[in-house]
Coordinates of all heavy atoms in Angstrom, one line a residue:
M1 N -54.2 -124.6 2.6 CA -55.0 -124.8 1.4 C -56.0 -123.7 1.2 O -56.6 -123.3 2.1 CB -55.7 -126.1 1.5 CG -56.4 -126.5 0.3 SD -57.4 -128.0 0.5 CE -58.8 -127.3 1.4
S2 N -56.1 -123.2 0.0 CA -57.0 -122.1 -0.2 C -58.1 -122.5 -1.1 O -58.1 -123.6 -1.7 CB -56.2 -120.9 -0.9 OG -55.8 -121.2 -2.2
D3 N -59.1 -121.6 -1.3 CA -60.2 -121.9 -2.2 C -60.1 -121.2 -3.5 O -61.0 -120.9 -4.2 CB -61.5 -121.4 -1.5 CG -61.9 -122.3 -0.3 OD1 -61.5 -123.4 -0.3 OD2 -62.5 -121.7 0.6
Y4 N -58.9 -120.8 -3.9 CA -58.7 -120.0 -5.1 C -59.0 -120.8 -6.3 O -58.9 -122.0 -6.4 CB -57.2 -119.5 -5.1 CG -56.3 -120.2 -6.0 CD1 -55.9 -119.6 -7.2 CD2 -55.8 -121.5 -5.8 CE1 -55.0 -120.2 -8.1 CE2 -55.0 -122.2 -6.7 CZ -54.6 -121.5 -7.8 OH -53.8 -122.1 -8.7
L5 N -59.4 -120.1 -7.4 CA -59.6 -120.6 -8.7 C -58.4 -120.3 -9.6 O -58.0 -119.1 -9.6 CB -60.9 -120.1 -9.3 CG -62.2 -120.5 -8.6 CD1 -63.3 -119.8 -9.3 CD2 -62.4 -122.0 -8.6
P6 N -57.8 -121.2 -10.3 CA -56.7 -120.9 -11.1 C -57.1 -119.9 -12.2 O -58.2 -119.9 -12.7 CB -56.3 -122.2 -11.8 CG -56.9 -123.3 -10.9 CD -58.1 -122.6 -10.3
S7 N -56.1 -119.0 -12.5 CA -56.4 -117.9 -13.5 C -56.9 -118.5 -14.8 O -57.7 -117.9 -15.5 CB -55.2 -117.0 -13.7 OG -54.1 -117.7 -14.2
I8 N -56.3 -119.6 -15.3 CA -56.8 -120.2 -16.5 C -58.2 -120.5 -16.5 O -59.0 -120.4 -17.5 CB -55.9 -121.4 -16.9 CG1 -56.2 -121.9 -18.4 CG2 -56.1 -122.6 -16.0 CD1 -55.7 -120.9 -19.4
Y9 N -58.7 -121.0 -15.3 CA -60.1 -121.3 -15.2 C -61.0 -120.1 -15.2 O -62.1 -120.0 -15.8 CB -60.4 -122.2 -14.0 CG -61.8 -122.6 -13.8 CD1 -62.4 -123.5 -14.7 CD2 -62.6 -122.1 -12.8 CE1 -63.7 -123.9 -14.6 CE2 -63.9 -122.5 -12.6 CZ -64.5 -123.4 -13.5 OH -65.8 -123.8 -13.4
T10 N -60.6 -119.1 -14.5 CA -61.4 -117.8 -14.4 C -61.4 -117.2 -15.8 O -62.4 -116.6 -16.1 CB -60.9 -116.8 -13.3 OG1 -59.5 -116.5 -13.6 CG2 -61.0 -117.4 -11.9
K11 N -60.3 -117.2 -16.5 CA -60.3 -116.7 -17.9 C -61.3 -117.5 -18.8 O -62.0 -116.9 -19.6 CB -58.9 -116.7 -18.5 CG -58.0 -115.7 -17.9 CD -56.6 -115.9 -18.4 CE -55.6 -114.9 -17.7 NZ -54.2 -115.1 -18.1
F12 N -61.3 -118.8 -18.6 CA -62.2 -119.7 -19.4 C -63.7 -119.2 -19.1 O -64.5 -119.1 -20.0 CB -62.0 -121.1 -19.0 CG -63.1 -122.0 -19.5 CD1 -63.3 -122.4 -20.8 CD2 -64.0 -122.5 -18.5 CE1 -64.3 -123.2 -21.2 CE2 -65.1 -123.4 -18.9 CZ -65.2 -123.7 -20.3
L13 N -64.0 -119.1 -17.8 CA -65.3 -118.7 -17.4 C -65.7 -117.3 -18.0 O -66.9 -117.2 -18.5 CB -65.4 -118.5 -15.8 CG -65.3 -119.8 -15.0 CD1 -65.3 -119.5 -13.5 CD2 -66.5 -120.7 -15.3
A14 N -64.8 -116.4 -18.0 CA -65.1 -115.1 -18.6 C -65.2 -115.1 -20.1 O -66.1 -114.5 -20.7 CB -64.0 -114.1 -18.2
Q15 N -64.4 -115.9 -20.8 CA -64.3 -115.9 -22.2 C -65.4 -116.8 -22.8 O -65.9 -116.5 -23.9 CB -62.9 -116.4 -22.7 CG -62.7 -116.2 -24.1 CD -61.2 -116.5 -24.5 OE1 -60.5 -117.1 -23.7 NE2 -60.8 -116.0 -25.6
F16 N -65.8 -117.9 -22.1 CA -66.8 -118.8 -22.7 C -67.8 -119.2 -21.7 O -68.0 -120.3 -21.3 CB -66.0 -120.1 -23.1 CG -64.9 -119.9 -24.1 CD1 -63.6 -120.0 -23.6 CD2 -65.1 -119.6 -25.4 CE1 -62.5 -119.8 -24.5 CE2 -64.1 -119.4 -26.3 CZ -62.8 -119.5 -25.9
P17 N -68.6 -118.2 -21.2 CA -69.6 -118.4 -20.2 C -70.6 -119.5 -20.5 O -71.0 -120.3 -19.7 CB -70.2 -117.1 -19.9 CG -69.9 -116.3 -21.1 CD -68.6 -116.8 -21.7
E18 N -71.0 -119.5 -21.8 CA -72.1 -120.5 -22.2 C -71.5 -121.9 -22.2 O -72.2 -122.8 -21.8 CB -72.6 -120.1 -23.6 CG -71.7 -120.3 -24.8 CD -70.6 -119.2 -24.9 OE1 -70.6 -118.2 -24.2 OE2 -69.7 -119.5 -25.7
V19 N -70.3 -122.1 -22.5 CA -69.6 -123.4 -22.5 C -69.5 -123.8 -21.0 O -69.7 -125.0 -20.7 CB -68.3 -123.4 -23.2 CG1 -67.6 -124.8 -23.1 CG2 -68.5 -123.0 -24.7
A20 N -69.0 -122.9 -20.2 CA -68.8 -123.2 -18.8 C -70.2 -123.6 -18.1 O -70.2 -124.5 -17.3 CB -68.3 -122.0 -18.0
E21 N -71.2 -122.9 -18.5 CA -72.6 -123.2 -18.0 C -73.0 -124.6 -18.4 O -73.5 -125.4 -17.7 CB -73.6 -122.2 -18.4 CG -75.0 -122.4 -17.9 CD -75.9 -121.3 -18.3 OE1 -75.5 -120.2 -18.6 OE2 -77.2 -121.6 -18.3
A22 N -72.8 -124.9 -19.7 CA -73.2 -126.3 -20.2 C -72.3 -127.4 -19.6 O -72.9 -128.4 -19.2 CB -73.0 -126.3 -21.7
Q23 N -71.1 -127.1 -19.4 CA -70.2 -128.1 -18.7 C -70.7 -128.3 -17.3 O -70.7 -129.4 -16.8 CB -68.7 -127.7 -18.8 CG -67.7 -128.7 -18.3 CD -67.6 -128.8 -16.8 OE1 -67.7 -127.8 -16.1 NE2 -67.3 -129.9 -16.3
G24 N -71.0 -127.2 -16.6 CA -71.5 -127.3 -15.3 C -72.8 -128.1 -15.2 O -73.0 -128.9 -14.2
A25 N -73.7 -128.0 -16.2 CA -74.9 -128.7 -16.2 C -74.7 -130.2 -16.4 O -75.3 -131.1 -15.7 CB -75.8 -128.2 -17.3
V26 N -73.7 -130.6 -17.2 CA -73.3 -132.0 -17.4 C -72.8 -132.5 -16.1 O -73.1 -133.6 -15.6 CB -72.3 -132.2 -18.6 CG1 -71.8 -133.6 -18.6 CG2 -73.0 -131.8 -19.9
A27 N -71.9 -131.8 -15.5 CA -71.3 -132.2 -14.2 C -72.3 -132.4 -13.1 O -72.3 -133.4 -12.4 CB -70.2 -131.2 -13.7
Q28 N -73.3 -131.5 -13.1 CA -74.4 -131.6 -12.1 C -75.2 -132.9 -12.4 O -75.6 -133.6 -11.4 CB -75.3 -130.4 -12.1 CG -76.4 -130.4 -11.1 CD -75.9 -130.5 -9.6 OE1 -74.8 -129.9 -9.3 NE2 -76.5 -131.3 -8.8
A29 N -75.5 -133.1 -13.6 CA -76.3 -134.3 -14.0 C -75.5 -135.6 -13.6 O -76.2 -136.6 -13.1 CB -76.6 -134.3 -15.5
V30 N -74.3 -135.6 -13.8 CA -73.4 -136.8 -13.4 C -73.4 -137.0 -11.9 O -73.6 -138.1 -11.4 CB -72.0 -136.7 -14.0 CG1 -71.1 -137.8 -13.4 CG2 -72.0 -136.8 -15.5
R31 N -73.2 -135.9 -11.2 CA -73.2 -135.9 -9.7 C -74.5 -136.4 -9.2 O -74.6 -137.2 -8.2 CB -73.0 -134.5 -9.1 CG -71.5 -134.2 -8.8 CD -71.4 -133.0 -8.0 NE -71.8 -131.8 -8.6 CZ -71.1 -131.1 -9.5 NH1 -69.9 -131.5 -9.8 NH2 -71.5 -130.0 -10.1
E32 N -75.6 -136.0 -9.8 CA -77.0 -136.5 -9.3 C -77.2 -138.0 -9.6 O -78.0 -138.6 -8.9 CB -78.1 -135.7 -10.0 CG -78.1 -134.2 -9.5 CD -79.0 -133.3 -10.2 OE1 -79.7 -133.8 -11.2 OE2 -79.1 -132.1 -9.9
R33 N -76.5 -138.5 -10.5 CA -76.6 -139.9 -10.9 C -75.7 -140.9 -10.1 O -76.0 -142.1 -10.0 CB -76.3 -140.0 -12.4 CG -76.4 -141.4 -13.0 CD -77.8 -142.0 -12.9 NE -77.9 -143.3 -13.5 CZ -77.8 -144.4 -12.8 NH1 -77.6 -144.4 -11.5 NH2 -77.9 -145.6 -13.4
T34 N -74.6 -140.4 -9.6 CA -73.7 -141.2 -8.9 C -74.2 -141.8 -7.6 O -74.9 -141.0 -6.9 CB -72.3 -140.5 -8.7 OG1 -71.4 -141.4 -8.1 CG2 -72.5 -139.3 -7.8
P35 N -73.9 -143.0 -7.3 CA -74.4 -143.6 -6.0 C -73.4 -143.2 -4.8 O -73.7 -143.6 -3.7 CB -74.4 -145.1 -6.2 CG -73.3 -145.3 -7.3 CD -73.4 -144.1 -8.1
F36 N -72.3 -142.6 -5.1 CA -71.3 -142.3 -4.2 C -71.5 -141.0 -3.4 O -72.0 -140.0 -4.0 CB -69.9 -142.3 -4.8 CG -69.6 -143.5 -5.6 CD1 -69.5 -143.5 -7.0 CD2 -69.3 -144.7 -4.9 CE1 -69.2 -144.6 -7.7 CE2 -69.0 -145.8 -5.6 CZ -69.0 -145.8 -7.0
D37 N -71.1 -141.0 -2.1 CA -71.1 -139.7 -1.4 C -70.0 -138.8 -2.0 O -69.2 -139.2 -2.8 CB -70.9 -140.0 0.1 CG -69.6 -140.6 0.4 OD1 -68.5 -140.0 0.1 OD2 -69.5 -141.7 1.0
E38 N -70.1 -137.5 -1.7 CA -69.2 -136.5 -2.3 C -67.7 -136.9 -2.0 O -66.9 -136.7 -2.9 CB -69.6 -135.1 -1.8 CG -68.7 -134.1 -2.5 CD -69.1 -132.7 -2.0 OE1 -70.0 -132.5 -1.2 OE2 -68.4 -131.7 -2.5
R39 N -67.4 -137.3 -0.8 CA -66.0 -137.6 -0.5 C -65.5 -138.7 -1.4 O -64.4 -138.6 -2.0 CB -65.9 -138.0 1.0 CG -64.5 -138.3 1.5 CD -64.6 -138.8 2.9 NE -63.6 -139.9 3.1 CZ -63.7 -141.1 2.7 NH1 -64.8 -141.6 2.1 NH2 -62.7 -142.0 2.9
T40 N -66.2 -139.8 -1.5 CA -65.8 -140.9 -2.3 C -65.8 -140.5 -3.8 O -64.8 -140.9 -4.5 CB -66.8 -142.1 -2.1 OG1 -66.8 -142.4 -0.7 CG2 -66.4 -143.3 -2.9
D41 N -66.7 -139.8 -4.2 CA -66.8 -139.3 -5.6 C -65.5 -138.5 -5.9 O -64.9 -138.7 -7.0 CB -68.0 -138.5 -5.9 CG -68.2 -138.1 -7.3 OD1 -68.2 -139.0 -8.2 OD2 -68.4 -136.9 -7.6
R42 N -65.1 -137.6 -5.0 CA -63.9 -136.8 -5.2 C -62.6 -137.6 -5.2 O -61.7 -137.4 -6.0 CB -63.8 -135.7 -4.2 CG -64.7 -134.6 -4.5 CD -64.4 -133.9 -5.8 NE -65.5 -133.1 -6.2 CZ -65.6 -132.6 -7.4 NH1 -64.7 -132.7 -8.3 NH2 -66.7 -131.8 -7.8
L43 N -62.6 -138.6 -4.4 CA -61.4 -139.5 -4.4 C -61.3 -140.3 -5.7 O -60.2 -140.5 -6.2 CB -61.4 -140.4 -3.2 CG -61.2 -139.7 -1.8 CD1 -61.4 -140.7 -0.7 CD2 -59.8 -139.1 -1.7
L44 N -62.5 -140.8 -6.2 CA -62.5 -141.5 -7.5 C -62.0 -140.6 -8.6 O -61.2 -141.0 -9.5 CB -63.9 -142.0 -7.8 CG -64.3 -143.2 -6.9 CD1 -65.8 -143.4 -7.1 CD2 -63.5 -144.4 -7.2
K45 N -62.5 -139.3 -8.6 CA -62.1 -138.4 -9.6 C -60.7 -138.0 -9.5 O -60.0 -137.9 -10.6 CB -63.0 -137.1 -9.6 CG -64.4 -137.4 -10.1 CD -65.3 -136.1 -9.9 CE -66.7 -136.5 -10.4 NZ -67.6 -135.4 -10.2
L46 N -60.1 -138.0 -8.3 CA -58.7 -137.8 -8.1 C -57.9 -138.9 -8.7 O -56.9 -138.7 -9.4 CB -58.4 -137.6 -6.6 CG -56.9 -137.6 -6.3 CD1 -56.2 -136.4 -6.9 CD2 -56.7 -137.6 -4.8
A47 N -58.4 -140.1 -8.5 CA -57.7 -141.3 -9.1 C -57.7 -141.2 -10.6 O -56.6 -141.5 -11.2 CB -58.3 -142.6 -8.6
M48 N -58.8 -140.9 -11.2 CA -58.8 -140.7 -12.6 C -57.9 -139.6 -13.2 O -57.2 -139.8 -14.2 CB -60.3 -140.5 -13.1 CG -61.1 -141.8 -12.9 SD -62.8 -141.6 -13.5 CE -63.6 -141.0 -12.0
A49 N -57.9 -138.5 -12.4 CA -57.0 -137.4 -12.8 C -55.5 -137.8 -12.7 O -54.7 -137.4 -13.6 CB -57.3 -136.2 -12.0
I50 N -55.2 -138.6 -11.7 CA -53.8 -139.0 -11.6 C -53.5 -140.0 -12.8 O -52.4 -139.8 -13.4 CB -53.6 -139.8 -10.2 CG1 -53.7 -138.7 -9.1 CG2 -52.3 -140.5 -10.2 CD1 -53.7 -139.4 -7.7
G51 N -54.4 -140.9 -13.1 CA -54.1 -141.8 -14.2 C -54.0 -141.1 -15.5 O -53.2 -141.5 -16.4
A52 N -54.7 -140.0 -15.7 CA -54.6 -139.2 -16.9 C -53.4 -138.2 -16.9 O -53.2 -137.5 -17.9 CB -55.9 -138.4 -17.1
Q53 N -52.7 -138.2 -15.7 CA -51.6 -137.3 -15.6 C -52.0 -135.8 -15.8 O -51.3 -135.0 -16.5 CB -50.4 -137.7 -16.4 CG -49.9 -139.1 -16.1 CD -48.8 -139.5 -17.0 OE1 -47.9 -138.7 -17.4 NE2 -48.8 -140.8 -17.4
A54 N -53.2 -135.4 -15.3 CA -53.7 -134.1 -15.6 C -53.5 -133.3 -14.3 O -54.3 -133.3 -13.4 CB -55.2 -134.2 -15.9
Q55 N -52.4 -132.5 -14.3 CA -52.0 -131.7 -13.2 C -53.1 -130.8 -12.6 O -53.3 -130.8 -11.4 CB -50.8 -130.9 -13.5 CG -50.3 -130.1 -12.3 CD -49.0 -129.3 -12.7 OE1 -48.5 -129.3 -13.8 NE2 -48.5 -128.6 -11.7
G56 N -53.7 -130.1 -13.5 CA -54.8 -129.2 -13.0 C -55.9 -129.9 -12.4 O -56.5 -129.5 -11.3
A57 N -56.3 -131.0 -13.0 CA -57.4 -131.8 -12.5 C -57.0 -132.5 -11.1 O -57.9 -132.6 -10.2 CB -57.9 -132.9 -13.5
V58 N -55.8 -132.9 -11.0 CA -55.3 -133.5 -9.8 C -55.4 -132.5 -8.7 O -56.0 -132.7 -7.6 CB -53.9 -134.1 -9.9 CG1 -53.3 -134.4 -8.5 CG2 -53.8 -135.3 -10.8
K59 N -54.9 -131.3 -8.9 CA -54.9 -130.2 -7.9 C -56.3 -129.9 -7.5 O -56.6 -129.7 -6.3 CB -54.1 -129.0 -8.3 CG -52.6 -129.3 -8.4 CD -51.9 -128.0 -8.8 CE -50.4 -128.2 -8.7 NZ -49.6 -127.0 -9.1
S60 N -57.2 -129.7 -8.5 CA -58.6 -129.4 -8.3 C -59.2 -130.4 -7.4 O -59.9 -130.1 -6.4 CB -59.3 -129.2 -9.6 OG -60.7 -129.0 -9.4
N61 N -59.0 -131.7 -7.8 CA -59.7 -132.7 -7.0 C -59.1 -133.0 -5.7 O -59.8 -133.4 -4.8 CB -59.8 -134.0 -7.9 CG -60.9 -133.9 -8.9 OD1 -62.1 -133.9 -8.6 ND2 -60.5 -133.8 -10.2
V62 N -57.8 -132.7 -5.5 CA -57.3 -132.7 -4.1 C -58.0 -131.7 -3.3 O -58.5 -132.0 -2.2 CB -55.7 -132.4 -4.1 CG1 -55.2 -132.2 -2.7 CG2 -55.0 -133.6 -4.8
R63 N -58.1 -130.4 -3.8 CA -58.8 -129.4 -3.0 C -60.2 -129.8 -2.7 O -60.7 -129.7 -1.5 CB -58.8 -128.1 -3.8 CG -57.5 -127.3 -3.8 CD -57.6 -125.9 -4.3 NE -57.9 -125.9 -5.8 CZ -57.0 -126.0 -6.7 NH1 -55.7 -126.0 -6.4 NH2 -57.4 -125.9 -8.0
K64 N -60.9 -130.3 -3.7 CA -62.3 -130.7 -3.5 C -62.5 -131.9 -2.6 O -63.4 -132.0 -1.8 CB -63.0 -130.9 -4.9 CG -63.1 -129.6 -5.6 CD -63.7 -129.8 -7.0 CE -63.8 -128.5 -7.8 NZ -64.2 -128.7 -9.2
A65 N -61.6 -132.8 -2.7 CA -61.7 -134.0 -1.8 C -61.4 -133.6 -0.3 O -62.2 -134.1 0.6 CB -60.6 -135.1 -2.2
L66 N -60.5 -132.7 -0.1 CA -60.2 -132.3 1.3 C -61.4 -131.5 1.8 O -61.8 -131.6 2.9 CB -59.0 -131.4 1.3 CG -57.7 -132.2 1.0 CD1 -56.5 -131.2 0.9 CD2 -57.4 -133.2 2.1
Q67 N -62.0 -130.7 0.9 CA -63.2 -129.9 1.3 C -64.4 -130.8 1.6 O -65.3 -130.5 2.4 CB -63.6 -128.9 0.2 CG -62.6 -127.7 0.1 CD -62.8 -126.9 -1.1 OE1 -63.6 -127.2 -2.0 NE2 -62.1 -125.8 -1.2
A68 N -64.4 -132.0 0.9 CA -65.5 -132.9 1.1 C -65.3 -133.9 2.3 O -66.1 -134.8 2.6 CB -65.7 -133.8 -0.2
G69 N -64.2 -133.7 3.0 CA -64.0 -134.4 4.2 C -62.9 -135.5 4.2 O -62.7 -136.2 5.1
A70 N -62.3 -135.7 3.0 CA -61.2 -136.7 2.9 C -60.0 -136.1 3.7 O -59.8 -134.9 3.7 CB -60.8 -136.9 1.4
G71 N -59.2 -137.0 4.2 CA -58.0 -136.6 4.9 C -56.8 -136.6 3.9 O -56.8 -137.2 2.9
L72 N -55.8 -135.9 4.3 CA -54.6 -135.8 3.5 C -54.0 -137.2 3.3 O -53.5 -137.5 2.2 CB -53.6 -134.8 4.0 CG -52.5 -134.3 3.1 CD1 -53.0 -133.8 1.8 CD2 -51.7 -133.2 3.8
D73 N -54.0 -138.0 4.3 CA -53.5 -139.3 4.2 C -54.3 -140.2 3.2 O -53.7 -141.0 2.4 CB -53.5 -140.1 5.5 CG -52.4 -139.6 6.5 OD1 -51.4 -138.9 6.0 OD2 -52.5 -139.8 7.7
E74 N -55.6 -140.0 3.1 CA -56.4 -140.7 2.1 C -56.1 -140.2 0.7 O -55.9 -141.0 -0.2 CB -57.9 -140.4 2.4 CG -58.4 -141.1 3.6 CD -59.8 -140.7 3.9 OE1 -60.1 -139.5 4.1 OE2 -60.7 -141.6 4.0
V75 N -55.9 -138.9 0.5 CA -55.5 -138.3 -0.8 C -54.2 -138.9 -1.2 O -54.0 -139.3 -2.4 CB -55.5 -136.8 -0.7 CG1 -54.9 -136.2 -1.9 CG2 -56.9 -136.3 -0.5
R76 N -53.2 -138.9 -0.3 CA -51.9 -139.5 -0.6 C -52.0 -140.9 -1.0 O -51.3 -141.4 -1.9 CB -50.9 -139.3 0.5 CG -50.5 -137.8 0.7 CD -49.6 -137.7 1.9 NE -49.2 -136.3 2.1 CZ -49.2 -135.7 3.3 NH1 -49.7 -136.3 4.4 NH2 -48.8 -134.5 3.4
A77 N -52.8 -141.7 -0.3 CA -53.0 -143.1 -0.6 C -53.5 -143.4 -2.0 O -53.1 -144.4 -2.6 CB -54.0 -143.7 0.5
V78 N -54.4 -142.5 -2.5 CA -54.8 -142.6 -3.9 C -53.6 -142.5 -4.8 O -53.5 -143.3 -5.7 CB -55.9 -141.5 -4.2 CG1 -56.2 -141.6 -5.7 CG2 -57.1 -141.7 -3.4
A79 N -52.7 -141.6 -4.6 CA -51.5 -141.4 -5.4 C -50.6 -142.6 -5.3 O -50.1 -143.2 -6.2 CB -50.8 -140.2 -5.1
L80 N -50.4 -143.1 -4.0 CA -49.6 -144.3 -3.8 C -50.2 -145.5 -4.6 O -49.5 -146.3 -5.1 CB -49.5 -144.6 -2.4 CG -48.6 -143.7 -1.6 CD1 -48.7 -144.0 -0.1 CD2 -47.2 -143.7 -2.1
G81 N -51.5 -145.6 -4.6 CA -52.2 -146.7 -5.3 C -51.9 -146.7 -6.8 O -52.0 -147.7 -7.5
A82 N -51.6 -145.5 -7.3 CA -51.3 -145.4 -8.7 C -49.9 -146.0 -9.1 O -49.7 -146.3 -10.3 CB -51.3 -143.9 -9.1
I83 N -49.1 -146.3 -8.1 CA -47.8 -146.9 -8.5 C -47.9 -148.1 -9.3 O -47.3 -148.3 -10.3 CB -46.9 -147.1 -7.2 CG1 -46.5 -145.8 -6.5 CG2 -45.7 -148.0 -7.5 CD1 -45.9 -145.9 -5.2
T84 N -48.8 -149.0 -8.8 CA -48.9 -150.3 -9.5 C -49.8 -150.3 -10.7 O -49.7 -151.3 -11.5 CB -49.4 -151.4 -8.5 OG1 -50.6 -151.0 -8.0 CG2 -48.4 -151.6 -7.4
T85 N -50.6 -149.3 -10.8 CA -51.5 -149.2 -12.0 C -51.0 -148.3 -13.1 O -51.1 -148.6 -14.2 CB -52.9 -148.8 -11.5 OG1 -53.3 -149.6 -10.4 CG2 -53.9 -148.8 -12.6
C86 N -50.5 -147.1 -12.7 CA -50.1 -146.1 -13.6 C -48.6 -145.9 -13.8 O -48.2 -145.3 -14.7 CB -50.7 -144.8 -13.2 SG -52.5 -144.8 -13.0
G87 N -47.9 -146.5 -12.8 CA -46.4 -146.4 -12.9 C -45.9 -145.4 -11.8 O -46.6 -144.5 -11.4
F88 N -44.7 -145.7 -11.4 CA -44.0 -144.9 -10.4 C -43.9 -143.4 -10.7 O -44.2 -142.6 -9.9 CB -42.6 -145.5 -10.1 CG -41.9 -144.9 -8.9 CD1 -42.3 -145.2 -7.6 CD2 -40.8 -144.1 -9.1 CE1 -41.7 -144.7 -6.5 CE2 -40.2 -143.5 -8.0 CZ -40.6 -143.8 -6.7
P89 N -43.4 -143.1 -12.0 CA -43.3 -141.6 -12.3 C -44.6 -140.9 -12.2 O -44.7 -139.8 -11.7 CB -42.8 -141.6 -13.7 CG -42.1 -142.9 -13.8 CD -42.9 -143.9 -13.0
T90 N -45.7 -141.5 -12.6 CA -47.0 -140.9 -12.5 C -47.4 -140.6 -11.1 O -47.9 -139.6 -10.7 CB -48.1 -141.7 -13.2 OG1 -47.7 -141.8 -14.6 CG2 -49.5 -141.2 -13.1
A91 N -47.2 -141.6 -10.2 CA -47.5 -141.5 -8.8 C -46.7 -140.5 -8.1 O -47.2 -139.7 -7.3 CB -47.4 -142.9 -8.1
I92 N -45.4 -140.4 -8.4 CA -44.5 -139.4 -7.8 C -44.9 -138.0 -8.2 O -45.0 -137.1 -7.4 CB -43.1 -139.7 -8.2 CG1 -42.6 -141.0 -7.5 CG2 -42.2 -138.6 -7.8 CD1 -42.8 -141.0 -6.0
A93 N -45.3 -137.8 -9.5 CA -45.7 -136.5 -10.0 C -47.0 -136.1 -9.2 O -47.1 -135.0 -8.7 CB -46.0 -136.6 -11.5
A94 N -47.9 -137.1 -9.1 CA -49.2 -136.8 -8.3 C -48.9 -136.4 -6.9 O -49.5 -135.5 -6.4 CB -50.1 -138.0 -8.4
L95 N -48.0 -137.1 -6.2 CA -47.7 -136.8 -4.9 C -47.1 -135.4 -4.8 O -47.4 -134.7 -3.8 CB -46.7 -137.8 -4.3 CG -47.2 -139.2 -3.9 CD1 -46.1 -140.2 -3.7 CD2 -48.2 -139.1 -2.7
G96 N -46.3 -135.0 -5.7 CA -45.8 -133.6 -5.8 C -46.9 -132.6 -5.9 O -46.9 -131.6 -5.2
W97 N -47.9 -132.9 -6.8 CA -49.0 -131.9 -7.0 C -49.9 -131.9 -5.7 O -50.4 -130.8 -5.3 CB -49.8 -132.3 -8.2 CG -49.1 -132.3 -9.5 CD1 -48.0 -131.5 -9.8 CD2 -49.3 -133.2 -10.6 NE1 -47.6 -131.8 -11.0 CE2 -48.3 -132.8 -11.6 CE3 -50.1 -134.2 -10.9 CZ2 -48.2 -133.4 -12.8 CZ3 -50.1 -134.8 -12.1 CH2 -49.1 -134.4 -13.1
I98 N -50.0 -133.0 -5.1 CA -50.8 -133.1 -3.8 C -50.1 -132.2 -2.8 O -50.8 -131.4 -2.1 CB -51.0 -134.5 -3.3 CG1 -51.9 -135.3 -4.3 CG2 -51.5 -134.6 -1.9 CD1 -51.9 -136.8 -4.1
E99 N -48.8 -132.3 -2.6 CA -48.1 -131.5 -1.6 C -48.2 -130.0 -1.9 O -48.3 -129.2 -1.0 CB -46.7 -132.0 -1.5 CG -46.5 -133.4 -0.9 CD -47.3 -133.6 0.3 OE1 -47.3 -132.8 1.3 OE2 -48.0 -134.7 0.4
E100 N -48.2 -129.7 -3.2 CA -48.3 -128.3 -3.6 C -49.6 -127.7 -3.1 O -49.7 -126.6 -2.6 CB -48.2 -128.1 -5.1 CG -46.8 -128.3 -5.6 CD -46.8 -128.2 -7.2 OE1 -47.7 -127.6 -7.8 OE2 -45.8 -128.7 -7.7
V101 N -50.7 -128.5 -3.2 CA -52.0 -128.1 -2.7 C -52.0 -128.0 -1.2 O -52.5 -127.1 -0.6 CB -53.1 -129.0 -3.3 CG1 -54.5 -128.7 -2.6 CG2 -53.2 -128.9 -4.8
A102 N -51.5 -129.1 -0.6 CA -51.5 -129.1 0.9 C -50.7 -128.0 1.5 O -51.0 -127.5 2.6 CB -50.9 -130.5 1.3
E103 N -49.6 -127.5 0.8 CA -48.8 -126.5 1.4 C -49.3 -125.1 1.0 O -48.7 -124.1 1.5 CB -47.4 -126.7 0.9 CG -46.7 -128.0 1.4 CD -45.4 -128.3 0.8 OE1 -45.0 -127.6 -0.1 OE2 -44.9 -129.4 1.1
A104 N -50.3 -125.0 0.2 CA -50.8 -123.7 -0.3 C -51.4 -123.0 0.9 O -52.1 -123.6 1.7 CB -51.7 -123.8 -1.4
P105 N -51.3 -121.7 1.0 CA -51.9 -120.9 2.1 C -53.4 -120.9 2.0 O -54.1 -121.2 1.1 CB -51.4 -119.5 1.9 CG -50.7 -119.4 0.6 CD -50.6 -120.8 0.1

């Protein structure tokens, strides 16, 4: 697993720095308001990203959850939990995205 930023995100940062800064400020305000520790917060965000079928957000939150101390088994469990809530195809897609992040150098 690497700490790389996807090219689409780095292009966004370069092209719209004021929007990126504003979005970052909103994200920070939300983080400061949450009662959850960072690990739990990242697992919750991962679950929401899986439900939204947002590949980029899933991969980003997998990386961030692992960096925050979540184990790969916990990350996979979030995707498995999506089977009964979001459907089997959504969960399988998420598991594939999780493995892509886990296998990255």
